[in-house]
Amino acid sequence: MNSRQRYSDPLTNFEKQTCVSFLNERQSIFDPPKNGEDVPDGPLMLLPEPKSEKEKDKKEPKKSNLKRENSKSTKNQKSSDTGVAFETGTGKVKFNTESNVKNNEKNINFSTNKELVIVHNNLTSEDSSEEFEFRKHNRNLSNTLSTSRLSFKSTKSSTYTNRSSRDSDFDEDLKFTTHLTVLKIIFIDIIFSLGDHITDFLQGFNLMFGDVIEVGVAAWSTEFLYQHWQQRGQYGLIVLLLNWSPGIIAVIHMLAYHRKEYAVQETSLMLKTLVPGVIDFKTKREHQIKRRKKFFLTMFLVLIFYPVIPAVTYTLLLWGWGNGQAQPESLSRRENFAMVAHSITGGFEAPVQLTMTIWLMLKGIIDNDFSFAKAFVDFGLPQDKFGNSVPLPAIPVISSISSLVSIMMACVRLNIPQPYQSYAEPNFCKRHSKRFSQVMGHLPFFLCSVLFRVMSYAFMWIYLWFYSFIPLTVSFFANLVIGYNQQTDTKMKKGMRTIKKKIKKHFKENQEEYKHRRIELAVWLSSFIGIFIPCCYSQQLEDKIVKKLWNKPDILKGLDDVRQSFQNKVLKKQELAGTLINLVSSVAIFIMVNFTEYKYSDNKLTNFSFNIYFYVVITLGIMVLIFTLLDFDALKLFGLDHIEDTETKTKISFDEPDGGTLSALPTTDTERKTEMENLKGKNSFRVRFIEKKRSKFVQMVVSMFLSLLVFTPIVIGGFCSHHYTLPEGYAVLVPDPAASDNQLYMIMVKVYPVNSGTEEDLVGSFIKCTKYFTEPSLSNSRLVVYADLSIPECEKHLIDKAGFEAKMRKRSNKDVLLIAENWNNRSSSSFPSMTYNEKTDTFTDKSIAHLKSFDDIPILSFNQKDKESFEMHGFTSNQEIRIAMKDIPDLLKPDSLLLSVECDDTECIHIDTELELDGSQVFLGCDSEPKRNINVTISCNDRGKNCTEFDRFKKTHSQETSESCRKKVITPSYFGDIVALKCKGKSDPKIWNKKNDLLLCQDEKRNEGMSTKTCCTKNRTTIYAKKGCKDPKKNHCEHGWGSWSGWNSQEDNLVRDRSRFCFIDKACTYLETEYWKLDEDDRDDREDCGRDDIFNKHECIDF
């Protein structure tokens, strides 16, 4: 009989790797597709090729039985070119098969109770076939084990029947995996590579030129760009240049890792390696010189065009793979280069950009306020120049999220490579099953480590500045030492030698040459990237070696174990060293800022928020140490980590021939117990499967939950910062509160509480410190004492604790102390207990600690860099200082204390909305408040720079419009624009004053029918209504009344009165006036509705 027919094998080359073997060893020789170099993700070229239609249509062989020469296992081995022979003495069976011949189709059928019976039937000596099959134990067939699409039946019927469906399933799995791999490269590798750089470029341009959506290109002018450059533009240039920083790391990696491949050999060495008759000396030398030039040109292009290099390389990879013209080695090199380039971006540039974003928030350069509650989220949607809301988060938010995603992807690529065992798996889910479990287990650790590092480095950049290079350099050299030292690990070397021997033996049996490099860490690359993220990128086994070991899963598993053990040891040492370095640096910063005279860069963190930030960083660092000591995989704590395929190497004894194991039985996530019976004449054994599956969904849910727990310190820190920090506010100097020339200038500076502070809005007259403490008689109104600590006379009064407290109590504790600091670069330190000497640049022994504990009056301070702008217009006796402990949006509301102006008592209130009025005239606003149209100019300073909160408010509200009762008014930019300011009184800024006889302009009062009362309310107040009001006796102003005016005293009649308005629309306005006795808290019964006869005659309906 034809050997091709007798020993045909219905299984594909790929299926042979995972086939269940009933013999002790099988030597299968086949020729898989050619491959390129390896990459951690598992290269595309290692996917098995689908069968051609021609191969599928071949006629099936009639038999698939095993041929044997005689039936006694003790006979000498007899071999044939395409058959099977028995080894002398051992009785083991050795196969010599052709790569295109299919042997031993095996079906595994098992029931729900996982009990199977394998039956070996001894046939007559004349019959050369043997039949192995699984029979269900005392049950009917219910399902088929399809994990590897294998069967254990080598009969003619199963061979012919099942091959077509199995080949179809194989090709469908392969096509599906290939398609998903292409989609992964397009939508994950290419899109995210470009997206990360695009968002970084947007961040840089936003800092340099302003937000294009909100401002528009038309607003770019020389003055505008110069202002942006001074405030933020220089930082935008740094953000842009950082996009090329990975190119430097890539060039260093290429020089350190590939220099030998492209070096020109010495003459003596080249002569030794020449092959006579193949290539001469001159040609070889020219070829090496050409390769070296190409290598240096490649490095130059990588450095110049690095932001697009990963995406371009991935695109070329897909192009070459699709047209089939490129060699597998070339494709593999491209994929490896693209992966490394993208990983450098995610492992170095992305964390640097994220650290830079946090640093800019801490510095107050980025528009977003840095508070833990709003660190990365701006809840207000931006608007374009036409006033349309753009449903996009702020650019810093987009950039931060993009950087974080890129970092997580780099952590996976560099630290969790594709297992060698799964390189040839055509099924996408099975191919990535183990890696998915590893990623889910390591995700909380990666996230915690990255957050700790970027937050701690931003912390160092702020407070150590130039000296921050010390911990960074120490971390780099620690990574170098760890990397080089780990390569000398004896245990790893011993394990690799054992595996190497097995590989050599396998190659020797197949008469092939084996060249293998040891596992080698890319030390310089891992050391640079390891500063910012966990990184252990090691040299992988060549693809051409892996493809020839597909039928040796034990060797591939050993390689995976050695590689994983090597990476875990390196990562553990790197994390312990890097985390401890950052923790020590953070503790040193905490001590220097809180307990020494150390100076640093000004930033937005107050002492309270600084301490919270420190505690958050320390907590994250401790969590990283815990993850490190637990071997990084959080799922192991819950017993949810990936279960390796276990092998039970129990020999099976048959009457003849000997051999066969259960080691190749396909099991996925199973524990096995075997119970064998050698039944004479039937030779059956029983296998019991106890299956434990790991749900990928459960793994993902647990991993996501643990990842969210990583953010717990940040959330708690944000809560404490938001609810327990002392309120910040603004001191507003108003040189002319009456706006006598219809111009109102306001200079705002950021102030910080020295003692317990105040949450109220306060207004007081300006007075210098020396005058306040020396003059015996002062105004009875509230005063804001301006204390410049650089003036010795003022300092003298502040250090006198007894005199200071006595003066404040004499003034009934109604004044406010505003301190101008005379020190710099201590914005996060608590208010000092000693005075500061500017000449010696040191703190003195004169104590002002009592100011921090004296809580009877509000004591506030502002930065020295803001003193010049605060004193820009000089000081006069009628100046006013307004203290507002609010955020900018609340401070600039129409009813805010800031947006108010003194109104002349002699000016009547105009209620005719059609009149054109100048700035000195008073009119009734839409909010039922008397107002004046004033040209307002506001400047805001914080630590010598413009307030980012104020700039953001002006940009986001610059296109908002509001319908006024007089005309359509655009929200101003507060730079000489007309603003309708609320009237306020001189003595009490919270109320407005008008005498009753000058309340309404007489002509309008008569024309609008408000000369006579309309009705009387139940509280005996008098209501006047314009003639345009419908049902004037009905109350249409339940929630529309404005504020009450101040009391107007009529001493002749011993009566006092006050009034308020309610604006309904242009045609209808109500005026309410009430009369009280002058010196009593009781209504007057002699005026208007206070009289019973008038009340009964004009009673309102529902007022």
Side-chain angles (χ1 to χ4, degrees), residues 420-450:
Y420 292 127
Q421 296 170 278
S422 63
Y423 269 27
E425 174 60 56
N427 184 281
F428 185 84
C429 295
K430 296 176 185 176
R431 177 180 176 87
H432 296 281
S433 176
K434 181 178 180 179
R435 197 182 189 201
F436 177 84
S437 300
Q438 292 176 331
V439 171
M440 291 296 102
H442 286 72
L443 183 61
F445 159 69
F446 288 152
L447 187 61
C448 185
S449 179
V450 169

Side-chain angles (χ1 to χ4, degrees), residues 170-231:
F170 177 85
D171 292 341
E172 289 298 325
D173 283 345
L174 184 57
K175 290 179 181 178
F176 181 70
T177 300
T178 303
H179 293 162
L180 288 182
T181 304
V182 172
L183 292 177
K184 173 251 183 188
I185 292 177
I186 295 175
F187 290 102
I188 295 181
D189 296 323
I190 296 179
I191 298 295
F192 274 101
S193 176
L194 291 175
D196 186 26
H197 285 290
I198 289 173
T199 55
D200 293 336
F201 274 101
L202 289 176
Q203 175 92 309
F205 287 129
N206 178 59
L207 290 171
M208 293 181 67
F209 308 112
D211 196 328
V212 177
I213 295 178
E214 296 174 354
V215 178
V217 179
W220 292 354
S221 61
T222 304
E223 181 180 357
F224 178 83
L225 294 178
Y226 177 77
Q227 180 183 4
H228 262 276
W229 176 260
Q230 293 294 323
Q231 297 291 328

Side-chain angles (χ1 to χ4, degrees), residues 26 103 116 315 410 563 574 595 604 988 1010:
R26 172 177 173 177
N103 275 331
L116 308 175
T315 304
R563 179 174 62 181
Q574 281 186 354
F595 305 107
K604 293 184 71 66
D988 190 347
M1010 300 186 71

Side-chain angles (χ1 to χ4, degrees), residues 740-810:
S740 54
D741 56 352
N742 299 330
Q743 301 282 340
L744 190 65
Y745 295 94
M746 290 184 279
I747 299 97
M748 299 168 54
V749 294
K750 195 77 169 286
V751 294
Y752 304 91
V754 174
N755 54 2
S756 60
T758 179
E759 296 183 2
E760 298 182 13
D761 293 341
L762 304 173
V763 177
S765 300
F766 172 87
I767 186 172
K768 287 188 176 182
C769 172
T770 53
K771 184 178 180 180
Y772 179 82
F773 285 101
T774 55
E775 289 192 4
S777 60
L778 299 172
S779 171
N780 291 328
S781 61
R782 176 181 285 117
L783 300 175
V784 177
V785 183
Y786 180 68
D788 187 352
L789 291 179
S790 62
I791 301 176
E793 291 78 7
C794 182
E795 179 186 297
K796 178 182 66 176
H797 294 292
L798 294 183
I799 62 178
D800 183 7
K801 178 181 179 181
F804 173 81
E805 294 179 355
K807 183 68 174 180
M808 295 302 160
R809 292 191 181 97
K810 182 179 179 180

Side-chain angles (χ1 to χ4, degrees), residues 24 72-78 85-94 651 655 657-659:
N24 65 311
K72 299 298 182 180
S73 61
T74 57
K75 291 186 177 182
N76 293 339
Q77 175 181 337
K78 297 180 181 181
F86 296 91
E87 295 179 354
T88 303
T90 63
K92 297 181 180 180
V93 181
K94 184 176 180 180
K651 293 185 178 180
D655 287 344
D658 292 341

Side-chain angles (χ1 to χ4, degrees), residues 467-689:
Y467 300 102
S468 62
F469 85 94
I470 296 177
L472 291 172
T473 305
V474 172
S475 296
F476 171 71
F477 282 107
N479 293 340
L480 277 179
V481 173
I482 292 169
Y484 283 119
N485 179 69
Q486 192 59 38
Q487 293 189 67
T488 63
D489 182 63
T490 55
K491 187 176 180 180
M492 186 269 292
K493 286 185 174 181
K494 183 178 179 180
M496 280 306 301
R497 280 197 298 266
T498 303
I499 296 175
K500 188 176 181 180
K501 289 179 181 179
K502 293 182 180 181
I503 298 176
K504 284 185 175 180
K505 180 181 178 182
H506 175 72
F507 274 66
K508 186 176 181 181
E509 291 173 351
N510 292 313
Q511 298 179 354
E512 295 182 19
E513 184 182 2
Y514 169 67
K515 291 182 180 180
H516 169 57
R517 288 190 297 175
R518 63 191 177 97
I519 291 181
E520 184 178 355
L521 178 67
V523 177
W524 286 85
L525 176 64
S526 297
S527 299
F528 274 115
I529 297 179
I531 298 174
F532 294 96
I533 70 171
C535 177
C536 180
Y537 174 63
S538 60
Q539 170 71 20
Q540 308 301 312
L541 194 65
E542 294 89 343
D543 294 347
K544 60 185 178 182
I545 304 298
V546 177
K547 73 178 182 180
K548 295 176 182 179
L549 296 175
W550 285 350
N551 61 337
K552 292 292 182 179
D554 57 329
I555 297 179
L556 295 178
K557 184 179 183 301
L559 288 170
D560 286 332
D561 292 341
V562 171
R563 179 174 62 181
Q564 185 173 356
S565 174
F566 175 80
Q567 287 184 326
N568 283 345
K569 290 179 180 179
V570 173
L571 281 179
K572 181 171 290 188
K573 293 178 180 179
Q574 281 186 354
E575 285 300 309
L576 290 175
T579 303
L580 291 177
I581 290 171
N582 287 13
L583 286 175
V584 170
S585 301
S586 299
V587 171
I589 291 172
F590 176 79
I591 294 174
M592 290 188 295
V593 170
N594 282 307
F595 305 107
T596 69
E597 299 179 6
Y598 177 73
K599 296 181 180 181
Y600 45 86
S601 176
D602 285 331
N603 58 82
K604 293 184 71 66
L605 290 182
T606 62
N607 185 252
F608 184 80
S609 57
F610 165 83
N611 291 332
I612 289 180
Y613 190 101
F614 167 76
Y615 295 138
V616 170
V617 169
I618 293 297
T619 305
L620 288 174
I622 294 174
M623 293 174 65
V624 172
L625 292 178
I626 294 174
F627 278 120
T628 303
L629 296 177
L630 294 176
D631 290 333
F632 314 113
D633 196 339
L635 293 182
K636 285 185 179 180
L637 297 176
F638 304 94
L640 296 173
D641 55 315
H642 182 77
I643 297 180
E644 294 284 355
D645 293 346
T646 58
E647 297 183 357
T648 305
K649 298 182 179 180
T650 306
K651 293 185 178 180
I652 305 174
S653 299
F654 295 99
D655 287 344
E656 59 175 355
D658 292 341
T661 68
L662 292 179
S663 61
L665 281 175
T667 58
T668 302
D669 295 347
T670 62
E671 293 179 358
R672 301 181 298 180
K673 293 182 179 179
T674 62
E675 179 184 355
M676 297 177 296
E677 298 176 358
N678 187 12
L679 302 179
K680 187 175 182 179
K682 194 172 184 180
N683 293 337
S684 65
F685 59 89
R686 182 175 300 164
V687 181
R688 183 184 182 94
F689 289 88

Side-chain angles (χ1 to χ4, degrees), residues 226-426:
Y226 177 77
Q227 180 183 4
H228 262 276
W229 176 260
Q230 293 294 323
Q231 297 291 328
R232 307 190 303 171
Q234 50 193 322
Y235 303 104
L237 181 61
I238 297 175
V239 171
L240 289 179
L241 294 178
L242 282 176
N243 285 277
W244 279 267
S245 62
I248 301 174
I249 309 300
V251 169
I252 295 175
H253 169 68
M254 294 171 69
L255 286 172
Y257 210 66
H258 299 287
R259 64 186 185 278
K260 294 181 180 180
E261 301 176 22
Y262 297 94
V264 178
Q265 293 179 334
E266 295 180 0
T267 303
S268 58
L269 182 60
M270 188 179 299
L271 291 173
K272 292 180 181 180
T273 58
L274 282 178
V275 180
V278 177
I279 186 172
D280 57 20
F281 173 82
K282 182 179 180 181
T283 304
K284 185 174 182 179
R285 189 173 188 84
E286 290 178 352
H287 174 69
Q288 290 184 353
I289 294 175
K290 184 178 180 181
R291 279 169 51 86
R292 184 177 63 179
K293 290 181 178 179
K294 184 178 179 182
F295 178 66
F296 283 106
L297 178 61
T298 302
M299 289 192 298
F300 176 75
L301 294 176
V302 166
L303 185 62
I304 298 300
F305 300 102
Y306 195 86
V308 297
I309 287 294
V312 170
T313 310
Y314 274 121
T315 304
L316 293 176
L317 172 68
L318 291 179
W319 178 264
W321 189 33
N323 59 31
Q325 296 177 358
Q327 294 297 322
E329 291 80 4
S330 176
L331 292 176
S332 182
R333 282 195 298 270
R334 289 180 186 175
E335 185 177 8
N336 183 54
F337 181 78
M339 188 281 301
V340 173
H342 194 186
S343 298
I344 293 175
T345 299
F348 185 82
E349 187 265 346
V352 171
Q353 289 284 12
L354 184 57
T355 305
M356 186 74 177
T357 301
I358 299 176
W359 182 80
L360 290 172
M361 290 179 179
L362 290 170
K363 288 283 291 182
I365 305 301
I366 282 185
D367 292 345
N368 299 67
D369 273 334
F370 191 89
S371 61
F372 285 102
K374 299 186 295 182
F376 291 102
V377 180
D378 190 354
F379 294 99
L381 292 178
Q383 292 184 334
D384 59 22
K385 62 181 181 179
F386 303 105
N388 302 310
S389 295
V390 182
L392 291 174
I395 290 179
V397 178
I398 300 175
S399 178
S400 300
I401 294 175
S402 175
S403 296
L404 188 60
V405 172
S406 182
I407 292 170
M408 292 296 104
M409 293 171 63
C411 288
V412 172
R413 285 192 183 94
L414 295 172
N415 300 295
I416 307 181
Q418 188 73 16
Y420 292 127
Q421 296 170 278
S422 63
Y423 269 27
E425 174 60 56

